Amino acid sequence: MNSIVANLMQVRQRIELACLAAKREPEEIELLAVSKTFPASAIEEAMHAGQSAFGENYVQEAVEKITQLAKLRPWLVWHFIGPLQSNKTREVAEHFDWVHGVDRLKIAERLSVQRGEFPNLAELQMCVQVNVSDEDSKSGIPLSEAEALCDAIVKLPNIVLRGLMAIPAPSADKAEQRKAFAQVQDCFKKIQAAKSTDFRYQFFDTLSMGMSDDLEAAIAEGSTIVRVGTAIFGKRDKISK
Ligand SMILES: *Cc1c(COP(=O)(O)O)cnc(C)c1O
């Protein structure tokens, strides 16, 4: 068995065990395979092992792979998970199904307008990135501002607001990991509760958190999408990050 297939099985098993520990159902968790820096052939291998959702960070690299794999499009779902600059929003609006990591209204507004230029595409699924525990990071808005940003984004056409995304500062300490994820979950649930009668929030069901090193802690704190790269595809080259 090649290593991508074996790794995928192992990651799925980790998700199942984490669900068992957290008394959750594995069906509640979507595995997003983060394929940044890896070639289209690696994505095809994962696809043949039943993987359909893939995450990419760099617009140019991603568009090349999406184009190469265009024939497989009906089976593949593409998530943009990297930091997004204004001058790259058009390509994301044109090529992706999901975008995580939106932390400014201006970016969401551009994506909304630009998605509208592709009437054959479904609405772009969007998560707002919050900044928890990682004070040095420039990405993500403070938890205290998340609801206001969501309220503005949820009104935009061609966008479906799906939930929150977070990348806490890496920590080897499980309790620290859980503490950060718990804060995100708390924020998420507060927004859900406050908007329970607002139909525009009917698809606000997604908590995108957890990576190769901390997916168990994320699942324990309510994650619904784990974004896993290294544990599936192996170590990335330092040069290309
Ligand atoms: C690279 C990346 C991941 C995957 O990280 P691994 O540690 O390789 O699993 C997940 N989320 C985001 C936003 C990333 O940039």
Side-chain angles (χ1 to χ4, degrees), residues 34 36 57 81-82 165 167 211-213 227-231 236:
V34 177
K36 63 184 177 201
N57 281 55
I81 61 174
M165 179 266 210
I167 315 172
M211 317 201 293
S212 293
D213 291 333
R227 309 176 310 265
V228 179
T230 310
R236 292 179 288 273

Side-chain angles (χ1 to χ4, degrees), residues 11 16 24 33 46 58 61 84 86 106 121 127 129 153 163 175 178 183 185 187-188 192 203 240:
V11 170
E16 279 178 32
R24 300 183 60 194
Y58 311 105
E61 179 199 332
L84 186 48
S86 299
K106 185 181 161 211
L121 298 182
C127 291
Q129 184 176 351
I153 289 177
R178 278 194 63 161
Q183 285 178 273
Q185 176 174 228
C187 177
F188 174 68
Q192 272 188 327
F203 302 109
S240 43

